[in-house]
Amino acid sequence: MMLKVRGIVQNLTVNSLFSRIANATLQNLCTDTVKHTELKCWKCLKNLSGKNLFCQYCSSVQKPDSQGNYYDLFDLKLTYLINNVDLSKKFKQLQSQLHPDKFSNKNQEEQAISETYSSYLNKAYSILQNPLERGLYLLSLQNISIEEDTKGTDQKLLMEILMLNEELDEASSEEDLEKLQTMIQATIDDLTKNVNASFEQKDFNQAKDLLIRMKYFTTLVSKVRDKKNQLELDKHSK
């Protein structure tokens, strides 16, 4: 009698398990179907096949995907290191398709969408081509910001930056500035490699610390370039 009861319980358990799996599978299929049917053209309301820039039925430009990210826009993998040549090619391709001048004969809504998309495209390209901004963007996708952490910046780093700023102030020739810029850029290049390793290991806290450091050195490079430009202007004004 006990064996029969145990067998019935086991059968019920197995049947329940298969039932749950079947229901979960069905729910997933339904969810996928819903996600697919949600991609509709804003103008003709027909279902879109994938994330296309233009509707395959009425050829209307589509609105930017509010749930997408900059990497999706350029068909790039979500990694820190990217191929800048591929990024530039894709940017020019999208720019030629989405530039507002292409929509001068379209209705107001399509013109507005093209302007929004073009602005979104320019911002995405500007961020992804810059190692610092790209790293900060990847952190933002993890809901991490460095702004609140800069107050507690390592004192050793601050002293290093202070000394480099003093060296910049004392630099009076193009040769001095060139040496300083080369040294700072080498530091940024090393930081870029380390930031990439941190993202590959999903060590976002380490990536954050390295990007804080990179931010200081990137600012220094900009200051060096500004001073070089000023020296050049002073030379021509004499």
Side-chain angles (χ1 to χ4, degrees), residues 22-39 67:
N23 288 335
T25 303
L26 182 60
Q27 287 176 355
N28 288 335
L29 287 172
C30 291
T31 302
D32 290 341
T33 302
V34 169
K35 285 181 179 178
H36 179 71
T37 55
E38 283 178 349
L39 295 173
Q67 296 181 344

Side-chain angles (χ1 to χ4, degrees), residues 3-18:
L3 290 174
K4 286 184 178 180
V5 172
R6 187 177 298 171
I8 292 171
V9 171
Q10 287 177 343
N11 287 336
L12 287 172
T13 303
V14 171
N15 289 336
S16 176
L17 178 61
F18 277 116

Side-chain angles (χ1 to χ4, degrees), residues 200-211:
E200 285 183 342
Q201 297 164 11
K202 299 189 184 303
D203 189 343
F204 302 120
N205 286 328
Q206 185 179 29
K208 179 180 68 176
D209 292 340
L210 291 168
L211 286 167

Side-chain angles (χ1 to χ4, degrees), residues 5-136:
V5 172
R6 187 177 298 171
I8 292 171
V9 171
Q10 287 177 343
N11 287 336
L12 287 172
T13 303
V14 171
N15 289 336
S16 176
L17 178 61
F18 277 116
S19 177
R20 289 179 183 177
I21 293 173
N23 288 335
T25 303
L26 182 60
Q27 287 176 355
N28 288 335
L29 287 172
C30 291
T31 302
D32 290 341
T33 302
V34 169
K35 285 181 179 178
H36 179 71
T37 55
E38 283 178 349
L39 295 173
K40 290 180 178 291
C41 173
W42 62 270
K43 189 174 183 180
C44 69
L45 301 180
K46 290 185 178 180
N47 293 339
L48 300 173
S49 58
K51 297 180 180 180
N52 297 325
L53 290 176
F54 299 90
C55 174
Q56 67 266 34
Y57 300 104
C58 68
S59 301
S60 297
V61 64
Q62 297 303 297
K63 299 175 182 179
D65 183 5
S66 59
Q67 296 181 344
N69 60 60
Y70 295 157
Y71 283 79
D72 290 340
L73 182 60
F74 295 100
D75 294 325
L76 295 172
K77 292 182 179 179
L78 203 62
T79 58
Y80 178 68
L81 288 187
I82 61 175
N83 188 315
N84 283 314
V85 174
D86 290 344
L87 174 65
S88 181
K89 286 181 179 178
K90 188 67 176 179
F91 171 69
K92 291 176 181 177
Q93 176 191 340
L94 292 171
Q95 193 179 43
S96 67
Q97 293 176 293
L98 297 168
H99 196 280
D101 289 348
K102 295 273 187 178
F103 298 84
S104 58
N105 295 325
K106 300 291 184 178
N107 60 46
Q108 288 186 347
E109 186 157 7
E110 285 192 75
Q111 289 178 12
I113 292 173
S114 72
E115 289 176 2
T116 300
Y117 225 135
S118 184
S119 176
Y120 179 73
L121 175 65
N122 290 333
K123 183 178 180 181
Y125 179 67
S126 174
I127 286 176
L128 292 186
Q129 71 170 343
N130 183 299
L132 173 62
E133 295 298 330
R134 185 168 65 246
L136 296 178

Side-chain angles (χ1 to χ4, degrees), residues 140-153:
S140 73
L141 296 180
Q142 302 296 326
N143 295 317
I144 299 174
S145 170
I146 71 170
E147 297 303 324
E148 66 269 14
D149 294 306
T150 52
K151 292 181 180 179
T153 303

